[in-house]
């Protein structure tokens, strides 16, 4: 993708550095802290996991986040079909999220994209020279504090983190365009 200009985008990268056997990889939260330290995060920004093909409007998610007082907005999918174990639920005007806890009575799954406030990342940063952390842990804590608003999507995502997932998506897209 380069700098994104060929696609009408502006892309800036924050390199996490080489893997160090004596230190864990930074994790998504750690990578965001590094990007924050480098001045690369805007007031609000998107975090998108790269192993999913999302069937939603990022523009609509962004508009929902901008219209909310919440410092974060998480896209979630109703899991009525039981695609995978639920890890999110709507709790009034807030979303609750948990990874690994007993969520057997929860109704939604994290869709893999959120809008976050730079302030949340700044608050995570403890000044550690090599920050690390799992964004899932941070999202769970923010959701317990009522700082995550839900954005419900209706179309399931496609997993593209494996060759088999990519092949399934390619077949589905070819069938749609027939």
């Amino acid at each position: 993708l380069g700098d994104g200009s060929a696609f009408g985008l502006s892309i800036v990268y924050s390199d996490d550095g080489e893997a160090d056997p004596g230190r864990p990889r930074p994790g998504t939260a750690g990578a965001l802290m590094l990007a924050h330290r480098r001045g690369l995060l805007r007031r609000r920004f998107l975090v998108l996991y790269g192993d999913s093909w999302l069937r939603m409007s990022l523009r609509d998610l962004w508009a929902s986040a901008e219209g909310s007082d919440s410092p974060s907005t998480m896209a979630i999918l109703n899991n009525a079909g039981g695609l995978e174990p639920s890890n999110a639920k709507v709790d009034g005007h807030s979303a609750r999220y948990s990874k690994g806890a007993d969520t057997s009575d929860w109704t939604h799954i994290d869709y893999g994209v959120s809008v976050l406030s730079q302030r949340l990342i700044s608050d995570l940063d403890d000044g550690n020279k090599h920050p690390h952390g799992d964004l899932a842990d941070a999202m769970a804590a923010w959701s317990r504090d009522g700082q995550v608003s839900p954005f419900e999507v209706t179309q399931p995502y496609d997993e593209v983190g494996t060759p088999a997932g990519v092949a399934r998506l390619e077949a589905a897209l070819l069938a749609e365009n027939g």
Side-chain angles (χ1 to χ4, degrees), residues 1-150:
L1 297 174
D3 67 0
S5 60
F7 305 98
L9 303 171
S10 173
I11 299 174
V12 178
Y13 297 90
S14 178
D15 189 342
D16 297 345
E18 293 296 318
D20 181 350
R23 165 171 63 98
R25 296 293 297 165
T28 305
L32 289 171
M33 284 184 263
L34 289 170
H36 172 70
R37 289 178 185 178
R38 295 171 180 149
L40 299 176
L41 301 182
R42 295 189 180 202
R43 185 182 67 81
R44 283 190 191 257
F45 59 93
L46 280 168
V47 173
L48 168 69
Y49 292 117
D51 62 353
S52 299
W53 179 268
L54 306 179
R55 297 175 183 267
M56 62 168 290
S57 166
L58 293 177
R59 183 171 284 137
D60 290 347
L61 170 63
W62 188 264
S64 178
E66 285 291 304
S68 170
D69 292 334
S70 179
S72 62
T73 301
M74 173 187 270
I76 58 175
L77 174 70
N78 188 306
N79 196 27
L83 296 173
E84 58 188 74
S86 293
N87 60 11
K89 71 176 181 174
V90 177
D91 190 10
H93 295 291
S94 296
R96 286 292 312 269
Y97 172 78
S98 181
K99 183 177 177 181
D102 179 18
T103 56
S104 57
D105 62 335
W106 289 20
T107 55
H108 291 74
I109 54 178
D110 172 13
Y111 201 68
V113 61
S114 297
V115 177
L116 300 179
S117 163
Q118 178 189 37
R119 178 184 56 82
L120 290 173
I121 304 305
S122 178
D123 290 349
L124 281 179
D125 197 347
D126 61 3
N128 185 339
K129 182 178 177 185
H130 302 290
H132 63 276
D134 188 345
L135 186 59
D137 294 336
M139 289 298 286
W142 297 330
S143 76
R144 283 191 302 274
D145 292 341
Q147 297 186 79
V148 180
S149 65

